[in-house]
């Protein structure tokens, strides 16, 4: 039992993980990567990865300046989350996740940048979550971009994209295919940047709003909110609004 691959960088160099074949773990994460404040970039490229009880891919950096990049070319499954990628609050780097196959777990893709850099999530295959979010894209100052295919969660919102730093200028943008969750898409900011949501497929909310776009900044004209829906698609919301903006 344990992690399939576990990498700890205590120096100032970069970490590059490239595993093209299938990998996995029982009793640990499929691939686990950590570093320190002195570390450089973290880059993880994989084929299929499976963990029975923890995260499929877990790459979380403590570097002050490094970026975290994950490219999954196979199907990813985690007993907890499929893919976790992030940076701590003192970081200035970016978090970038690309999933070319299917992703599944309690949570699907969790990309959280608590620093001031950007967060980008791109999913090509379906993302399926049970108790948690399908996709989370978070930053504390930079831009958040989520470009997704089909995303579903039975126990939470399908997509959560947010900029959490008060007064920061980062924008929040979501483009997605068919989406289903307790709430379909949540896009929100605490700053002055704009919010855009583009629904290319059907959006279903089982217990909330279909699309929820909110700017929590109290300043007048803090940022624009733009929500669009592709022709021929529909938004279905139970116990909520089809589109809610504030």
């Amino acid at each position: 039992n344990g992690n399939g691959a576990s990498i700890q960088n205590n120096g100032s160099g970069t970490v590059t993980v490239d595993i093209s074949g299938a990998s996995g773990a029982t009793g640990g994460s499929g691939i686990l990567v950590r570093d320190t404040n002195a570390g450089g970039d973290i880059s993880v490229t994989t084929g299929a990865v499976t963990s029975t009880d923890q995260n499929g891919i877990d790459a979380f950096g403590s570097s002050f300046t490094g970026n975290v990049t994950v490219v999954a070319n196979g199907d990813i499954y985690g007993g907890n989350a499929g893919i976790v990628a992030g940076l701590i609050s003192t970081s200035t780097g970016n978090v970038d996740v690309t999933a070319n196959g299917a992703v599944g777990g309690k949570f699907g893709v969790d990309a959280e940048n608590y620093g001031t850099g950007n967060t980008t999530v791109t999913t090509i295959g379906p993302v399926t979550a049970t108790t948690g979010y399908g996709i989370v894209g978070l930053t504390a100052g930079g831009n958040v971009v989520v470009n997704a295919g089909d995303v579903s969660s039975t126990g939470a919102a399908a997509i959560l994209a947010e900029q959490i730093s008060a007064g920061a200028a980062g924008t929040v943008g979501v483009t997605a295919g068919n989406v289903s969750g307790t709430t379909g898409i949540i896009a929100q900011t605490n700053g002055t940047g704009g919010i855009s949501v583009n629904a290319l497929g059907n959006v279903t909310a089982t217990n909330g709003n279909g699309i929820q776009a909110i700017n929590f900044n109290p300043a007048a004209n803090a940022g624009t909110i733009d929500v669009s829906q592709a022709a021929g698609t529909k938004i279905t919301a139970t116990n909520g609004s089809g589109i809610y903006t504030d």
Side-chain angles (χ1 to χ4, degrees), residues 5 7 14 17 29 31-32 48 87 96 117 143 145-146 149 205 233:
I7 297 96
T14 63
V17 179
S29 292
I31 296 172
L32 179 73
L87 284 166
D96 192 335
N143 301 324
V145 177
V146 175
T233 63

Side-chain angles (χ1 to χ4, degrees), residues 1-245:
N1 292 346
N3 302 315
S6 183
I7 297 96
Q8 171 69 51
N9 178 18
N10 293 319
S12 59
T14 63
V15 175
T16 301
V17 179
D18 192 343
I19 303 174
S20 59
S23 59
T26 300
S29 292
I31 296 172
L32 179 73
V33 182
R34 296 289 188 270
D35 65 2
T36 68
N37 294 154
D41 294 344
I42 294 174
S43 175
V44 179
T45 303
T46 74
V49 182
T50 301
S51 169
T52 58
D53 61 346
Q54 295 191 32
N55 304 318
I57 300 170
D58 186 338
F60 208 101
S62 297
S63 170
F64 288 146
T65 59
N67 302 312
V68 173
T69 302
V70 175
V71 178
N73 292 316
D75 295 343
I76 310 297
Y77 177 80
N80 183 49
I83 300 173
V84 174
L87 284 166
I88 63 172
S89 61
T90 51
S91 298
T92 59
N94 302 318
V95 175
D96 192 335
V97 176
T98 301
N100 290 309
V103 180
K106 293 179 180 177
F107 299 82
V109 177
D110 188 1
E112 300 191 10
N113 187 347
Y114 289 98
T116 57
N118 301 323
T119 299
T120 303
V121 178
T122 303
T123 61
I124 307 302
V127 177
T128 306
T130 55
T131 57
Y133 296 109
I135 294 174
V136 173
L138 177 149
T139 184
N143 301 324
V144 177
V145 177
V146 175
N147 290 312
D150 295 347
V151 184
S152 66
S153 173
T154 55
I159 298 173
L160 170 63
E162 60 178 342
Q163 192 288 110
I164 62 174
S165 180
T171 60
V172 177
V174 178
T175 300
N178 295 314
V179 171
S180 176
T182 54
T183 299
I185 298 170
I186 300 174
Q188 56 195 31
T189 183
N190 287 277
T192 60
I195 298 172
S196 64
V197 178
N198 185 12
L200 299 178
N202 297 325
V203 177
T204 302
T206 59
N207 190 28
N209 301 316
I211 297 173
Q212 179 175 303
I214 300 177
N215 189 327
F216 293 103
N217 191 306
N221 301 316
T224 60
I225 296 176
D226 183 7
V227 177
S228 61
Q229 179 184 3
T233 63
K234 65 180 180 179
I235 299 175
T236 304
T238 300
N239 299 325
S241 302
I243 297 173
Y244 177 85
T245 64

